Each structure stands twice: as structure tokens, then as C-alpha cells.
Amino acid sequence: TNLLAAVKTDIPAPARGTGVIKGRAMAEDGQPLPGARVRISPHNIPWDSMARGRSGARANTQPSLEDTIRTTVERHRLLAAYEREATTDADGRYQVADLEKASHNMSAYLEGYELSGQDAAGLYNVTPDAEVNFTGKPVFSLACNVIAPDGRQAESATITLTKENVNTSRWWSPDHTAVTVPAGAYDAK
């Protein structure tokens, strides 16, 4: 049977409110960044609502593979029901309305840019009626291959990049060969 299709979940409906979070995504040079995806999810997602009525794993026992898959699918569906997303327009503006008066987490993504909020700590405790702006720094993706001293490809590695005496580490594996970095000249180890 198709386990994913068989997972039945009663996902509680997200509360809707009258709150709005809006802002802009701009490049460092002040140009708008259209097409950035801004994601908002409330802190009060009822994760424990998934466990109600579940039979199966008892206390102090390892959950079965089926229970683990079911829990993963339920968590994904619950997050998808509560997460809200907006895309910035040609002027870099976004708005998410009908938000519950609660704390929210925020993130933004745009291919080719590293987007950060005006206050990194604020991206994890944003309340409606706030204006949150993102600044985009161009980044580049470098394909890397790590070879061990014996000539074989490494199973995993940490790549350390140094730019102007500042070290940045990136995790690498044969499945994740791209390293994303801001523009510049680096020493790699």
C-alpha cells in the first residue's frame, strides 16, 4: 500500500486573525528584489494534536518505521497548513494578511541571494502589524569535489573558506557538492 496516501490526519484549522506583516526585500545597493519568497509560521502550531488517538508505540519502545513515517508526514502536513507564504512584487514588497495575534517565525529565500532581516533575532519573534525588511547579498554556488589523500572521494568534509581573516565553514558530501558563498576572493581548506 502507499503509506503516504494512507496517512489520515485531522489537522486543526489554523486560526485566522486581522494582523498583517509586510515589508520589502532589497539588494545591498537599494534595488528591489522581486520574486523573493517570504515564509511566516506561528509559534503556536499544535504539534501535540497529532498524537491524539494514535495507537501503536508504547512508552519506552522504539517507534516502528510506519509510525516514524506517519509522524513525519503528519508534521509536514501540519506545518504546511499553518505556514503562510508571500512573493515580493516588482518593487520588492510583500504582505501577509489575516494573521493571528501571536508570535511568528520568518524567513526569506531568493535564488542567488542570501537574505537577512534587519534584526536577525527578530525573525524568530515577529508579531503582526510589524514591518520586516530583508536585505539581499549576492551569493554564488561553487561545485566542489573533496578528494582524500588516497585519491578516493571523501565521504564528507568541512570546507573552510577564509576571506579577509574571517573563516566560514560549509558542510560537504558527495550528495551536497555545492557550496554557496558571497562574492569575493577566498582561501579554501
Side-chain angles (χ1 to χ4, degrees):
T1 64
N2 182 345
L3 182 59
L4 297 179
V7 173
K8 304 280 190 240
T9 54
D10 294 321
I11 296 175
R16 297 287 186 222
T18 59
V20 173
I21 295 176
K22 62 184 177 178
R24 292 184 83 183
M26 307 289 284
E28 289 179 313
D29 64 5
Q31 294 297 311
L33 294 174
R37 293 188 337 234
V38 178
R39 289 189 177 149
I40 300 175
S41 60
H43 281 235
N44 63 349
I45 295 175
W47 297 113
D48 55 338
S49 67
M50 297 182 315
R52 281 188 233 130
R54 180 177 300 151
S55 60
R58 293 180 296 276
N60 299 324
T61 63
Q62 186 74 11
S64 68
L65 177 59
E66 185 174 314
D67 283 341
T68 300
I69 292 171
R70 179 176 286 111
T71 299
T72 301
V73 169
E74 288 174 345
R75 287 181 70 86
H76 176 75
R77 288 179 180 167
L78 189 62
L79 180 60
Y82 277 75
E83 187 173 71
R84 307 286 299 284
E85 186 173 297
T87 302
T88 57
D89 64 15
D91 294 323
R93 297 183 189 284
Y94 73 91
Q95 177 175 308
V96 178
D98 302 325
L99 295 171
E100 180 182 8
K101 297 285 184 187
S103 292
H104 293 74
N105 295 327
M106 291 187 68
S107 63
Y109 174 79
L110 180 62
E111 182 80 31
Y113 287 87
E114 178 179 86
L115 295 173
S116 58
Q118 70 248 24
D119 177 8
L123 296 178
Y124 298 103
N125 197 22
V126 179
T127 55
D129 303 323
E131 184 167 325
V132 179
N133 297 312
F134 293 90
T135 301
K137 182 186 311 183
V139 293
F140 299 91
S141 218
L142 305 173
C144 300
N145 194 11
V146 178
I147 305 298
D150 65 4
R152 292 185 293 142
Q153 186 176 49
E155 291 181 23
S156 66
T158 299
I159 298 174
T160 302
L161 303 167
T162 305
K163 178 181 178 184
E164 299 170 0
N165 295 323
V166 176
N167 291 336
T168 303
S169 295
R170 300 286 192 260
W171 180 79
W172 178 93
S173 79
D175 296 330
H176 298 92
T177 60
V179 176
T180 302
V181 295
Y186 293 88
D187 290 325
K189 295 181 185 181

